Structure formats: C-alpha cells, structure tokens
C-alpha cells in the first residue's frame, strides 16, 4: 500500500513544491474523517504554485476531494443522528455569515460586535456556528460566525442553518484572486441544497419562502494593496449581482455602511412607543415587519391594546408631528407612536 501511494505521488510530483506543501501533506497521515482530508487537500491546492507542471497534481487532489466528499455524504446519510446546528434566534434578526476559508468572517464578526471569536491566518479555525450580537443604533442584530465553506466542502447542516436564518452576509476575500469563483461555487452548492441567495431588494415570492435569502456581500481586506481593483473586478466576475460593500475588518473602514446594509436585509421597522404626556422611549424600539400597521404594533405591545385600539398619533422625520392616524396606517422606520384606546 505504502509503495503504491509513493508511486502514485511520484508520478504527479513536480520538483519545486514549497516547504509548506510537505508539512501539510504530512498531516494527511493523521486525518481520519473525509472532512479532515478535504481540508488538507484544499490547503495543499492553495500552496501548490499553479503552472503547467503542477496541473496533474492539482487535478489529482481535486479528484480526491470529490471522492472524500462522496464518502462523507455516504457516511452522513447512514449516520443514526445526523449533526444539526440550530442557533436560537435573538434580537431584531438573525444573519448568518457565509464565505470561504480565511476571507475574514471571524475578524468581521469581531469588528462588528466587539466579541472575541477565534481568528487565525490558517483556514478552518472556526468549526461550529457561534452567535454574537451586533449593535446597530437602537437595536441588536444576531450575527452567526460559521465554519468556512467551499463548493466542495459544506456540511449537510450548513444549508439547513442558512434556511433558518433571516438573511445572509456573504464574505469575499479581496486578497484572493479566486474569490469570485469560490463564491460562485458556494452559491451553486447551496442551490443544489435548495437555498438561493438573492440581492437585498429583490422581491421574494411568498410561496418559496424560506429558502430564498436576502444577501449582502462584504468584500473584506480593503486595506491591502490592489483591493480597490479587486473590488471592481468582483462586480464583473460574480454571477449573481449582490449589493457589494468594501470593508476592512482591520481598519474598520466601511463597517458603518455594512451595519446599515445588514439591518436593511431584515426588512423591519423600528417603532418607539410613547405614553401620552410623556417623552418617547427612544432606546428600546419594537421591531416589526416592514409594512406593519398601527394595529400590528398594538398587538406587539399587548393583546388588550389591539382589541381596544381607537387611533394613534405619530411623530416622524417625514413631517408627521403628532398627527392622528387610524388602525391600518402603515408605520415607517423610527416612527414614534402613541396608541390611544
Ligand atoms: N489585511 C487584512 N487581513 C485581514 C482582514 N480581515 C481578516 N484578515 C486576516 O485574514 C486571516 C483570516 O481571518 P479570519 O477572520 O480567521 O477568517 P475566517 O476563516 O473567514 O473566519 C487572518 O490572518 C486575519 O488577520 C482585513 O480586513 N485586512
Ligand atoms: Mg473563522
């Protein structure tokens, strides 16, 4: 067996592989699960210099990845308890990060939430989904940091978790020239598993909910040389047109815009309730679905309120200044509402 392997490797092995290659390759000896093997094959492909002399070697690893993936799927299908990863929702909405290894998902979560997820410059540091709360003005949005995925390497629970989330934050790596094709691979794989990621302002036909997820693309590592050009190219190369926001988890550039875009994905309005004769409580809004009415708000406040509701008064930046509105008046983001029973 050992000799056969050696022969096989020699046949494809170009002479000038970098030292990391051999270090990573040595890890194969201890890899047990298909997932562990795929991780190592992907890392090997990443360090192999791409040129004519290495084509065969890369092709061989791609074949091995495909094989290991089939093996993994077979094992999961026959496993008694397939792993699930359900994250309890909290805050104004749940947004799951999706992206290839090393794109900076954990770094972004850290920069956006102030929390401390594990960050490392080697891929696959994050192994399980982990929720963190991101403050945005007066609300908190739940961000889920996730293990990296690729078109080849996606655990069966991953698409299920995306299905449960309210929206997706896709992360691209401006330092990686292959990032667009990596993202396309991820999108394709999700589609195979019946999850479609779409641009933020596309309408979702109600009968297909919840397998279509509004998505914004954070193109990370804006601080590196050539990032502006890479950002432009990404717009051309990506098959699906998402709203793209260039950010740097390191310098913090673009993060305010990203927070707002993530909030926009949720399609909710924040409304502040006001007691007659008192000032509005501007720090703890009710978050309601976009299109909600005064009556919906009354229901959210208290069941009794909705039964007895007569009218409401609304204050907002658009010019309502305590105007009287009826029960089916549609509320806007940041309206201050006084319910009258
Ligand atoms: N230059 C630069 N490096 C970054 C940025 N964000 C993350 N990184 C680096 O990219 C590597 C991977 O980051 P990590 O957050 O662990 O990526 P993940 O695998 O997607 O969670 C680490 O070495 C980070 O320090 C960024 O905005 N700029
Ligand atoms: Mg990570």
């Amino acid at each position: 067996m050992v000799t056969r392997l050696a022969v096989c490797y020699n046949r494809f092995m170009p002479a000038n592989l970098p030292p990391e290659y051999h270090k990573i390759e040595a890890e194969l000896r201890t890899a047990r699960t298909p997932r562990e093997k795929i991780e190592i094959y992907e890392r090997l492909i990443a360090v192999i210099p791409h040129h004519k002399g290495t084509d065969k070697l890369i092709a061989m690893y791609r074949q091995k990845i495909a094989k290991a993936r089939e093996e993994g799927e077979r094992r999961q299908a026959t496993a008694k308890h397939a792993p699930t990863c359900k994250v309890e929702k909290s805050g104004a909405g749940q947004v799951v990060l999706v992206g290839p290894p090393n794109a900076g998902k954990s770094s972004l979560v850290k920069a956006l939430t102030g929390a401390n997820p594990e960050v490392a410059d080697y891929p696959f540091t994050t192994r399980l989904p982990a929720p963190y709360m991101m403050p945005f003005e007066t609300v908190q949005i739940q961000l889920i940091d996730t293990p990296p995925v690729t078109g080849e390497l996606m655990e069966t629970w991953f698409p299920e978790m995306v299905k449960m989330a309210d929206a997706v934050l896709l992360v691209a790596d401006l330092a990686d020239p292959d990032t667009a094709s990596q993202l396309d691979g991820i999108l394709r794989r999700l589609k195979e598993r019946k999850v479609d990621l779409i641009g933020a302002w596309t309408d979702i036909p109600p009968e297909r909910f919840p397998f279509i997820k509004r998505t914004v693309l954070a193109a990370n590592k804006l601080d590196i040389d050539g990032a502006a050009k890479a950002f432009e190219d990404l717009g051309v190369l990506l098959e699906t047109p998402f709203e793209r926001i260039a950010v740097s988890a390191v310098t913090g550039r673009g993060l305010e815009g990203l927070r707002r875009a993530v909030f926009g994905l949720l399609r909710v309005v924040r409304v502040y309730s006001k007691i007659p004769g008192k000032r509005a409580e501007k720090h703890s809004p009710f978050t309601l679905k976009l299109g909600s009415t005064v009556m919906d708000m009354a229901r959210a406040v208290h069941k009794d309120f909705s039964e007895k509701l007569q009218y409401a008064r609304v204050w907002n930046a658009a010019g309502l200044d305590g105007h009287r509105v009826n029960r089916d008046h549609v509320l806007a983001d940041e309206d201050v509402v006084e319910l009258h029973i």
Side-chain angles (χ1 to χ4, degrees):
M1 185 62 196
V2 171
T3 6
R4 250 188 65 207
L5 258 183
V7 170
C8 163
Y9 276 85
N10 284 339
R11 192 149 51 96
F12 295 120
M13 185 83 81
N16 57 347
L17 291 167
E20 306 103 275
Y21 173 89
H22 301 286
K23 260 198 236 154
I24 300 170
E25 197 206 2
E27 291 177 36
L28 270 176
R29 266 179 256 134
T30 53
R32 256 170 281 141
T33 64
R35 181 180 174 108
E36 283 169 353
K37 287 182 191 161
I38 292 175
E39 286 176 14
I40 295 172
Y41 298 143
E42 300 237 344
R43 283 162 58 205
L44 285 168
I45 292 177
V47 298
I48 296 171
H50 288 221
H51 55 73
K52 238 189 150 31
T54 56
D55 281 355
K56 278 193 179 144
L57 185 65
I58 291 171
M60 178 193 79
Y61 281 122
R62 291 211 195 286
Q63 254 182 12
K64 282 177 177 291
I65 288 173
K67 262 209 170 132
R69 177 178 152 184
E70 277 171 25
E71 164 69 16
E73 279 170 1
R74 241 193 332 269
R75 280 197 201 179
Q76 281 196 354
T78 53
K80 267 208 184 112
H81 302 288
T84 56
C85 268
K86 188 165 177 249
V87 181
E88 214 60 54
K89 285 191 182 182
S90 159
Q94 184 184 69
V95 178
V96 58
L97 276 84
V98 174
N102 265 336
K105 295 175 295 300
S106 298
S107 303
L108 273 176
V109 166
K110 190 172 173 170
L112 290 167
T113 66
N116 217 355
E118 215 178 339
V119 171
D121 60 0
Y122 49 90
F124 303 101
T125 316
T126 313
R127 306 224 154 226
L128 288 170
Y132 300 92
M133 297 311 286
M134 173 180 83
F136 170 69
E137 296 177 353
T138 49
V139 291
Q140 301 273 334
I141 300 168
Q142 187 182 44
L143 296 184
I144 305 183
D145 190 16
T146 58
V149 288
T150 70
E152 300 299 337
L153 185 66
M154 191 180 288
E155 312 246 17
T156 37
W157 54 261
F158 191 89
E160 300 308 313
M161 186 184 58
V162 179
K163 282 180 193 173
M164 313 263 242
D166 297 310
V168 172
L169 173 54
L170 196 59
V171 183
D173 183 351
L174 291 176
D176 177 1
D178 282 337
T179 201
S181 60
Q182 285 218 25
L183 292 175
D184 285 335
I186 293 171
L187 296 177
R188 223 168 292 132
R189 186 76 193 277
L190 280 171
K191 220 177 186 130
E192 280 170 27
R193 304 291 304 281
K194 307 268 183 294
V195 190
D196 257 0
L197 306 191
I198 58 157
W201 293 102
T202 320
D203 274 323
I204 298 180
E207 70 274 14
R208 288 193 61 195
F209 189 81
F211 304 125
I212 302 184
K213 295 294 162 183
R214 287 201 181 83
T215 300
V216 68
L217 175 66
N220 188 35
K221 308 194 185 177
L222 181 59
D223 54 287
I224 60 150
D225 282 349
K229 171 80 170 60
F231 181 66
E232 235 174 74
D233 293 348
L234 193 59
V236 181
L237 294 173
L238 264 184
E239 283 169 19
T240 318
F242 295 109
E243 182 189 355
R244 280 174 304 134
I245 300 183
V247 297
S248 166
V250 169
T251 66
R253 227 177 121 191
L255 293 186
E256 229 10 79
L258 181 59
R259 275 203 183 87
R260 181 163 293 281
V262 167
F263 174 73
L265 288 177
L266 300 176
R267 301 263 197 133
V268 294
V269 291
R270 296 161 292 175
V271 289
Y272 305 96
S273 124
K274 177 183 174 318
I275 296 169
K278 295 201 173 162
R279 289 164 74 98
E281 301 271 335
K282 278 277 205 161
H283 47 82
S284 50
F286 287 90
T287 49
L288 304 172
K289 268 198 311 209
L290 197 70
S292 292
T293 61
V294 166
M295 189 63 178
D296 295 322
M297 175 177 178
R299 271 193 212 104
V301 175
H302 199 279
K303 190 167 75 64
D304 288 353
F305 255 76
S306 60
E307 281 162 13
K308 297 180 194 150
L309 183 72
Q310 302 288 328
Y311 67 95
R313 291 192 188 280
V314 178
W315 288 256
N316 63 21
L320 291 187
D321 188 20
H323 286 55
R324 193 177 158 138
V325 297
N326 58 21
R327 298 152 147 247
D328 47 17
H329 174 82
V330 174
L331 294 167
D333 190 33
E334 301 226 81
D335 276 357
V336 171
V337 183
E338 198 176 79
L339 298 169
H340 288 260
I341 52 173

